[in-house]
């Protein structure tokens, strides 16, 4: 169950919400807080006789403007949207980490390399593309988009390498 709490920005408000969940013996699975006055709570399904008074008690917390159920947490919705976009791309796309381990791949990649949708085993870039030294590329100080001719299963392709660095709020990788 997921709730969206619209509220004022007040010190202690989140703590009061969490204390209420503890008081009701509700196991919190996730929380997302936005500075614009939104708090999202994700917890296991609860019975209606617990849910109804919980909603009323949340509304009585000083600074809470409204509370409503939502289908997804914002991060879940973003993840689903990005994954849907990636699934619809007809060309193979995959993401690797700085050690060359494949972290994400789309259905076109699975098809090209003959991987079943159920195969979640850890793969490396070199298992897919053995004739390209990805580690040399990753060790470079500056990364630029590159087009590299490769052969996969006796088919010639132009592999486009697009370096994307994920950083945190402080711009650290």
């Amino acid at each position: 169950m997921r709730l969206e709490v619209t509220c004022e920005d007040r010190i202690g408000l989140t703590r009061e919400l969490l204390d209420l969940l503890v008081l009701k013996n509700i196991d919190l699975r996730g929380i997302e807080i936005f500075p614009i006055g939104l708090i999202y709570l994700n917890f296991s399904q609860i019975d209606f006789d617990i849910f109804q008074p919980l909603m009323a008690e949340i509304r009585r917390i000083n600074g809470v403007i409204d509370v409503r159920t939502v289908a997804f947490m914002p991060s879940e919705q973003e993840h689903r949207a990005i994954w849907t976009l990636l699934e619809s791309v007809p060309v193979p796309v995959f993401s690797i980490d700085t050690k060359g381990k494949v972290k994400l791949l789309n259905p076109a990649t699975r098809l090209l390399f003959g991987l079943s949708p159920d195969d979640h085993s850890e793969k490396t870039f070199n298992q897919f593309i053995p004739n390209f030294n990805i580690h040399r590329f990753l060790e470079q100080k500056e990364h630029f988009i590159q087009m590299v001719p490769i052969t996969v299963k006796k088919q010639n392709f132009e592999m486009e390498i697009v370096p994307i660095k994920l950083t945190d709020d402080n711009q650290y990788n």
Side-chain angles (χ1 to χ4, degrees), residues 99-111:
K99 298 193 181 347
K101 292 181 183 172
V102 175
K103 293 305 198 182
L104 183 134
L105 45 88
N106 72 343
T109 304
R110 289 187 177 281
L111 182 64

Side-chain angles (χ1 to χ4, degrees), residues 56-142:
E57 288 181 54
I58 290 174
R59 285 186 178 99
R60 284 194 293 269
I61 293 174
N62 182 29
V64 169
I65 298 164
D66 191 26
V67 60
R68 66 184 184 105
T69 60
V70 291
F72 302 106
M73 300 287 278
S75 60
E76 291 172 319
Q77 189 168 0
E78 184 176 306
H79 175 80
R80 285 175 182 249
I82 290 170
W83 184 247
T84 300
L85 177 65
L86 192 59
E87 282 183 322
S88 68
V89 175
V91 296
V93 176
F94 58 94
S95 173
I96 62 171
D97 66 11
T98 57
K99 298 193 181 347
K101 292 181 183 172
V102 175
K103 293 305 198 182
L104 183 134
L105 45 88
N106 72 343
T109 304
R110 289 187 177 281
L111 182 64
L112 176 64
F113 292 102
L115 301 172
S116 77
D118 300 330
D119 184 353
H120 298 292
S121 61
E122 192 170 273
K123 306 271 190 254
T124 65
F125 177 89
N126 291 114
Q127 287 175 289
F128 291 137
I129 318 288
N131 299 327
F132 181 81
N133 189 340
I134 193 66
H135 297 289
R136 185 177 300 145
F137 174 81
L138 293 171
E139 290 169 357
Q140 297 172 358
K141 287 192 184 252
E142 294 292 322

Side-chain angles (χ1 to χ4, degrees), residues 22-49:
V22 169
L23 184 66
K24 299 283 185 184
N25 202 27
I26 296 172
D27 186 26
L28 184 68
R29 292 181 178 166
I31 183 169
E32 295 181 31
I33 303 171
F34 291 82
I36 57 171
L38 289 173
I39 299 172
Y40 293 86
L41 304 169
N42 181 0
F43 48 87
S44 52
Q45 197 68 30
I46 58 175
D47 292 331
F48 186 75
D49 58 327

